[in-house]
PDB file of all heavy atoms in Angstrom:
ATOM      1  N   THR A 351      15.807  39.985  -1.230  1.00  0.00           N
ATOM      2  CA  THR A 351      16.728  39.140  -0.668  1.00  0.00           C
ATOM      3  C   THR A 351      17.432  38.352  -1.828  1.00  0.00           C
ATOM      4  O   THR A 351      16.765  37.660  -2.553  1.00  0.00           O
ATOM      5  CB  THR A 351      16.241  38.123   0.346  1.00  0.00           C
ATOM      6  OG1 THR A 351      15.542  38.865   1.368  1.00  0.00           O
ATOM      7  CG2 THR A 351      17.316  37.316   0.904  1.00  0.00           C
ATOM      8  N   VAL A 352      18.758  38.595  -1.939  1.00  0.00           N
ATOM      9  CA  VAL A 352      19.553  37.903  -3.101  1.00  0.00           C
ATOM     10  C   VAL A 352      20.461  36.905  -2.437  1.00  0.00           C
ATOM     11  O   VAL A 352      21.448  37.350  -1.759  1.00  0.00           O
ATOM     12  CB  VAL A 352      20.303  38.927  -3.945  1.00  0.00           C
ATOM     13  CG1 VAL A 352      21.041  38.201  -5.009  1.00  0.00           C
ATOM     14  CG2 VAL A 352      19.294  39.929  -4.481  1.00  0.00           C
ATOM     15  N   PRO A 353      20.279  35.638  -2.536  1.00  0.00           N
ATOM     16  CA  PRO A 353      21.223  34.703  -2.010  1.00  0.00           C
ATOM     17  C   PRO A 353      22.589  34.691  -2.796  1.00  0.00           C
ATOM     18  O   PRO A 353      22.565  34.579  -4.004  1.00  0.00           O
ATOM     19  CB  PRO A 353      20.565  33.347  -2.147  1.00  0.00           C
ATOM     20  CG  PRO A 353      19.540  33.487  -3.234  1.00  0.00           C
ATOM     21  CD  PRO A 353      19.169  34.924  -3.283  1.00  0.00           C
ATOM     22  N   LEU A 354      23.626  34.840  -2.093  1.00  0.00           N
ATOM     23  CA  LEU A 354      25.024  34.923  -2.703  1.00  0.00           C
ATOM     24  C   LEU A 354      25.830  33.590  -2.460  1.00  0.00           C
ATOM     25  O   LEU A 354      26.220  32.988  -3.421  1.00  0.00           O
ATOM     26  CB  LEU A 354      25.730  36.096  -2.231  1.00  0.00           C
ATOM     27  CG  LEU A 354      25.135  37.424  -2.582  1.00  0.00           C
ATOM     28  CD1 LEU A 354      25.954  38.581  -1.972  1.00  0.00           C
ATOM     29  CD2 LEU A 354      25.106  37.639  -4.006  1.00  0.00           C
ATOM     30  N   PHE A 355      25.879  33.230  -1.157  1.00  0.00           N
ATOM     31  CA  PHE A 355      26.730  32.111  -0.910  1.00  0.00           C
ATOM     32  C   PHE A 355      26.109  31.421   0.367  1.00  0.00           C
ATOM     33  O   PHE A 355      26.117  32.130   1.491  1.00  0.00           O
ATOM     34  CB  PHE A 355      28.137  32.360  -0.687  1.00  0.00           C
ATOM     35  CG  PHE A 355      28.957  31.159  -0.277  1.00  0.00           C
ATOM     36  CD1 PHE A 355      29.253  30.188  -1.217  1.00  0.00           C
ATOM     37  CD2 PHE A 355      29.440  31.034   0.932  1.00  0.00           C
ATOM     38  CE1 PHE A 355      29.995  29.120  -0.858  1.00  0.00           C
ATOM     39  CE2 PHE A 355      30.174  29.938   1.309  1.00  0.00           C
ATOM     40  CZ  PHE A 355      30.458  29.004   0.432  1.00  0.00           C
ATOM     41  N   ASN A 356      25.673  30.145   0.253  1.00  0.00           N
ATOM     42  CA  ASN A 356      25.199  29.429   1.397  1.00  0.00           C
ATOM     43  C   ASN A 356      24.227  30.280   2.233  1.00  0.00           C
ATOM     44  O   ASN A 356      24.275  30.433   3.432  1.00  0.00           O
ATOM     45  CB  ASN A 356      26.393  29.058   2.333  1.00  0.00           C
ATOM     46  CG  ASN A 356      25.986  28.032   3.343  1.00  0.00           C
ATOM     47  OD1 ASN A 356      25.043  27.275   3.219  1.00  0.00           O
ATOM     48  ND2 ASN A 356      26.805  27.958   4.473  1.00  0.00           N
ATOM     49  N   ALA A 357      23.191  30.782   1.468  1.00  0.00           N
ATOM     50  CA  ALA A 357      22.297  31.761   2.142  1.00  0.00           C
ATOM     51  C   ALA A 357      21.401  31.198   3.304  1.00  0.00           C
ATOM     52  O   ALA A 357      21.244  31.919   4.285  1.00  0.00           O
ATOM     53  CB  ALA A 357      21.303  32.316   1.049  1.00  0.00           C
ATOM     54  N   GLN A 358      21.110  29.871   3.223  1.00  0.00           N
ATOM     55  CA  GLN A 358      20.267  29.270   4.217  1.00  0.00           C
ATOM     56  C   GLN A 358      21.153  28.595   5.336  1.00  0.00           C
ATOM     57  O   GLN A 358      20.596  28.058   6.212  1.00  0.00           O
ATOM     58  CB  GLN A 358      19.315  28.283   3.663  1.00  0.00           C
ATOM     59  CG  GLN A 358      18.410  28.883   2.654  1.00  0.00           C
ATOM     60  CD  GLN A 358      17.317  27.969   2.107  1.00  0.00           C
ATOM     61  OE1 GLN A 358      17.141  26.886   2.671  1.00  0.00           O
ATOM     62  NE2 GLN A 358      16.829  28.304   0.975  1.00  0.00           N
ATOM     63  N   GLY A 359      22.458  28.537   5.124  1.00  0.00           N
ATOM     64  CA  GLY A 359      23.403  27.949   6.171  1.00  0.00           C
ATOM     65  C   GLY A 359      23.223  26.424   6.212  1.00  0.00           C
ATOM     66  O   GLY A 359      23.756  25.871   7.116  1.00  0.00           O
ATOM     67  N   ARG A 360      22.763  25.844   5.031  1.00  0.00           N
ATOM     68  CA  ARG A 360      22.695  24.375   4.981  1.00  0.00           C
ATOM     69  C   ARG A 360      23.208  23.784   3.726  1.00  0.00           C
ATOM     70  O   ARG A 360      22.822  22.677   3.443  1.00  0.00           O
ATOM     71  CB  ARG A 360      21.206  23.948   5.173  1.00  0.00           C
ATOM     72  CG  ARG A 360      20.513  24.403   6.453  1.00  0.00           C
ATOM     73  CD  ARG A 360      19.166  23.673   6.619  1.00  0.00           C
ATOM     74  NE  ARG A 360      18.257  23.958   5.463  1.00  0.00           N
ATOM     75  CZ  ARG A 360      17.361  24.917   5.488  1.00  0.00           C
ATOM     76  NH1 ARG A 360      17.336  25.727   6.482  1.00  0.00           N
ATOM     77  NH2 ARG A 360      16.599  25.105   4.419  1.00  0.00           N
ATOM     78  N   GLY A 361      24.082  24.604   3.060  1.00  0.00           N
ATOM     79  CA  GLY A 361      24.593  24.054   1.813  1.00  0.00           C
ATOM     80  C   GLY A 361      23.579  24.295   0.685  1.00  0.00           C
ATOM     81  O   GLY A 361      22.657  25.090   0.804  1.00  0.00           O
ATOM     82  N   TYR A 362      23.807  23.561  -0.383  1.00  0.00           N
ATOM     83  CA  TYR A 362      22.901  23.660  -1.613  1.00  0.00           C
ATOM     84  C   TYR A 362      22.017  22.441  -1.687  1.00  0.00           C
ATOM     85  O   TYR A 362      22.680  21.305  -1.773  1.00  0.00           O
ATOM     86  CB  TYR A 362      23.720  23.969  -2.807  1.00  0.00           C
ATOM     87  CG  TYR A 362      24.388  25.319  -2.795  1.00  0.00           C
ATOM     88  CD1 TYR A 362      25.649  25.487  -2.361  1.00  0.00           C
ATOM     89  CD2 TYR A 362      23.654  26.505  -3.055  1.00  0.00           C
ATOM     90  CE1 TYR A 362      26.313  26.733  -2.275  1.00  0.00           C
ATOM     91  CE2 TYR A 362      24.222  27.776  -3.080  1.00  0.00           C
ATOM     92  CZ  TYR A 362      25.466  27.806  -2.615  1.00  0.00           C
ATOM     93  OH  TYR A 362      26.084  29.107  -2.534  1.00  0.00           O
ATOM     94  N   GLU A 363      20.761  22.642  -1.874  1.00  0.00           N
ATOM     95  CA  GLU A 363      19.736  21.548  -2.047  1.00  0.00           C
ATOM     96  C   GLU A 363      19.847  20.934  -3.471  1.00  0.00           C
ATOM     97  O   GLU A 363      19.433  19.797  -3.666  1.00  0.00           O
ATOM     98  CB  GLU A 363      18.392  22.052  -1.656  1.00  0.00           C
ATOM     99  CG  GLU A 363      17.285  20.994  -1.822  1.00  0.00           C
ATOM    100  CD  GLU A 363      17.442  19.825  -0.868  1.00  0.00           C
ATOM    101  OE1 GLU A 363      18.040  19.988   0.080  1.00  0.00           O
ATOM    102  OE2 GLU A 363      16.840  18.779  -1.128  1.00  0.00           O
ATOM    103  N   ILE A 364      20.296  21.715  -4.460  1.00  0.00           N
ATOM    104  CA  ILE A 364      20.172  21.308  -5.831  1.00  0.00           C
ATOM    105  C   ILE A 364      21.059  20.010  -6.052  1.00  0.00           C
ATOM    106  O   ILE A 364      20.683  19.173  -6.821  1.00  0.00           O
ATOM    107  CB  ILE A 364      20.796  22.383  -6.746  1.00  0.00           C
ATOM    108  CG1 ILE A 364      20.620  22.034  -8.180  1.00  0.00           C
ATOM    109  CG2 ILE A 364      22.267  22.709  -6.455  1.00  0.00           C
ATOM    110  CD1 ILE A 364      19.161  21.788  -8.576  1.00  0.00           C
ATOM    111  N   GLY A 365      22.093  19.728  -5.296  1.00  0.00           N
ATOM    112  CA  GLY A 365      22.861  18.450  -5.505  1.00  0.00           C
ATOM    113  C   GLY A 365      22.020  17.329  -5.089  1.00  0.00           C
ATOM    114  O   GLY A 365      22.059  16.301  -5.865  1.00  0.00           O
ATOM    115  N   THR A 366      21.349  17.295  -3.937  1.00  0.00           N
ATOM    116  CA  THR A 366      20.568  16.108  -3.577  1.00  0.00           C
ATOM    117  C   THR A 366      19.356  16.012  -4.431  1.00  0.00           C
ATOM    118  O   THR A 366      18.862  14.873  -4.658  1.00  0.00           O
ATOM    119  CB  THR A 366      20.176  16.235  -2.107  1.00  0.00           C
ATOM    120  OG1 THR A 366      19.499  17.465  -1.895  1.00  0.00           O
ATOM    121  CG2 THR A 366      21.430  16.167  -1.122  1.00  0.00           C
ATOM    122  N   ALA A 367      18.802  17.172  -4.915  1.00  0.00           N
ATOM    123  CA  ALA A 367      17.663  17.128  -5.806  1.00  0.00           C
ATOM    124  C   ALA A 367      17.978  16.465  -7.152  1.00  0.00           C
ATOM    125  O   ALA A 367      17.126  15.709  -7.763  1.00  0.00           O
ATOM    126  CB  ALA A 367      17.169  18.520  -5.997  1.00  0.00           C
TER     127      ALA A 367
END
Side-chain angles (χ1 to χ4, degrees):
T351 304
V352 181
L354 296 179
F355 175 75
N356 193 24
Q358 301 182 21
R360 299 193 302 268
Y362 291 98
E363 179 66 21
I364 185 63
T366 56

